[in-house]
């Protein structure tokens, strides 16, 4: 089963007998958040924050002891929301964004315009090859 921070906080606080059904949310303003983020009302979070951090610090110590190393899971407040990407990889945009900015650089268009006096279209374009630049892939040497 996939990890969801909202579920984790709910279960964690219930197991501490701090709050039996702490309200957490997986979305903000209609945008589904990534699984490692959730939304909590500030006044509700302030009511449980001290108890949560006290127990969470003990859990972090146990995690480091069990798994070794210096790092352990952490929790950040007031992080910027990260919306979940859809199946096609696009992020849902706010409804106000109806105008797109388009920047066109180093390109050309072939337009088949039968009304032009020459009648030149795509099929009658010059056979001269246009100048291109090569793209090189740089690899870091393993020293």
């Amino acid at each position: 089963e996939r990890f969801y921070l909202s579920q984790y906080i709910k279960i964690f606080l219930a197991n501490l007998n701090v709050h039996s059904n702490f309200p957490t949310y997986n979305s903000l303003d209609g945008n589904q958040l990534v699984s490692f983020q959730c939304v909590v009302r500030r006044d509700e979070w302030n009511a449980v924050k001290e108890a949560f951090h006290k127990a969470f610090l003990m859990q972090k110590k146990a995690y480091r002891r069990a798994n070794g190393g210096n790092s352990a899971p952490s929790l950040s407040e007031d992080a910027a929301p990260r919306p979940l990407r859809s199946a096609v990889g696009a992020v849902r945009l706010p409804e106000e964004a109806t105008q797109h900015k388009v920047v066109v650089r180093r390109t050309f268009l072939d337009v088949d315009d039968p009304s032009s006096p020459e009648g030149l279209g795509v099929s009658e374009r010059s056979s001269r090859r246009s100048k291109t630049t090569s793209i090189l892939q740089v690899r870091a040497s393993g020293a």
Side-chain angles (χ1 to χ4, degrees):
E1 188 174 323
R2 186 174 183 140
F3 172 83
Y4 288 96
L5 181 61
S6 58
Q7 258 329 94
Y8 172 81
I9 290 175
K10 230 178 244 237
I11 293 169
F12 192 77
L13 291 172
N15 287 337
L16 293 174
N17 293 322
V18 173
H19 198 293
S20 61
N21 190 18
F22 189 72
T24 60
Y25 307 95
N26 289 326
S27 63
L28 179 65
D29 297 330
N31 293 315
Q32 188 75 19
L33 298 174
V34 291
S35 65
F36 54 87
Q37 282 190 329
C38 72
V39 178
V40 177
R41 284 185 36 184
R42 183 163 308 279
D43 60 327
E44 292 172 343
W45 176 246
N46 287 338
V48 300
K49 182 165 61 170
E50 187 178 333
F52 178 89
H53 281 300
K54 186 176 178 181
F56 193 69
L57 180 62
M58 287 177 42
Q59 183 178 4
K60 286 173 67 168
K61 288 178 184 177
Y63 178 91
R64 283 193 296 271
R65 195 173 318 119
N67 296 304
N70 295 333
S71 63
S74 62
L75 186 74
S76 301
E77 295 178 38
D78 297 323
R82 294 179 57 184
L84 185 65
R85 294 187 178 268
S86 69
V88 292
V91 175
R92 184 176 170 185
L93 296 174
E95 292 180 18
E96 305 90 47
T98 57
Q99 188 73 347
H100 298 286
K101 292 183 180 179
V102 177
V103 178
V104 179
R105 294 187 181 115
R106 296 185 184 178
T107 187
F108 61 89
L109 298 174
D110 287 324
V111 179
D112 190 12
D113 186 6
S115 64
S116 69
E118 296 86 28
L120 294 177
V122 175
S123 60
E124 298 180 32
R125 185 176 64 192
S126 169
S127 62
R128 189 177 131 210
R129 183 169 180 239
S130 62
K131 182 178 177 183
T132 59
T133 57
S134 62
I135 299 173
L136 302 175
Q137 182 177 359
V138 179
R139 294 185 184 179
S141 63

